[in-house]
Amino acid sequence: FEPGVEQYDLQYDLANYVEQIPIPANAEIRPVQLDETSALREFLEREFPGRWRYDTMAKVDLEERSDFVDALWVDDKLEGFSFTQDSSHRFPIAGGVWRQSLGENWGTLGPIGVSKSVRGKGYGNALLSESLHGLKRLGVRNCLIDWTTLVDFYGKHGFVPTHTYNSYTLQLIS
């Protein structure tokens, strides 16, 4: 077996979250409206065609709503998304499966991502900040970001590791 990259679950009490990252003048961050789900699907197919696309669109269909996905619009083009969950969700997935251990005012964030064309320009931090404030406005306290390697990125927003996962692979010879 060969060791892989360590992954982490991160948590933070959003009652303490005050970080406010400015949104660039040419951008807007807001929840996806149901009539914008085709733009969301196109963005995900273009930038994140694998599991993130599948999980996000399947969740929109299951919940019959899309307001838990924050969209980053840059010059009127969808260039980023942030997937959140809280106690109002009927079908929690991913980090939401830990809702009982997170407590009554639970929430999760992730996946989150921006298009290659806007990476490294501060849009991701602004999207993260806005999504965390959105969860806080909903009353979320204990927020989980599951299975990530980005401890430093999320750590700037107060998140700390609570679980570490060590993955291993076995190369099979046929």
Side-chain angles (χ1 to χ4, degrees), residues 76-110:
D76 297 321
K77 183 177 179 188
L78 205 158
E79 296 288 1
F81 85 115
S82 174
F83 180 115
T84 63
Q85 297 180 92
D86 62 39
S87 62
S88 70
H89 287 245
R90 296 177 299 154
F91 305 103
I93 65 169
V97 301
W98 297 108
R99 65 192 175 279
Q100 289 181 338
S101 65
L102 292 171
E104 183 179 337
N105 298 319
W106 67 273
T108 65
L109 185 136

Side-chain angles (χ1 to χ4, degrees), residues 5-8 10 52 112 128 145-156 159 161:
V5 176
E6 285 187 331
Q7 304 276 333
Y8 303 91
L10 310 173
W52 286 10
I112 179 174
L128 175 59
I145 298 172
D146 70 325
W147 281 87
T148 184
T149 60
L150 303 176
V151 175
D152 292 338
F153 175 68
Y154 295 116
K156 293 175 188 171
F159 284 83

Side-chain angles (χ1 to χ4, degrees), residues 6-24:
E6 285 187 331
Q7 304 276 333
Y8 303 91
D9 286 352
L10 310 173
Q11 286 180 236
Y12 185 61
D13 183 344
L14 293 183
N16 302 319
Y17 190 68
V18 295
E19 186 75 32
Q20 190 68 50
I21 307 295
I23 301 169

Side-chain angles (χ1 to χ4, degrees), residues 102-141:
L102 292 171
E104 183 179 337
N105 298 319
W106 67 273
T108 65
L109 185 136
I112 179 174
V114 298
S115 66
K116 292 177 186 104
S117 65
V118 302
R119 287 184 193 150
K121 299 176 182 175
Y123 293 104
N125 264 314
L127 177 59
L128 175 59
S129 177
E130 193 64 28
S131 294
L132 293 174
H133 280 290
L135 285 170
K136 183 178 178 177
R137 284 189 295 273
L138 293 172
V140 169
R141 292 285 309 264

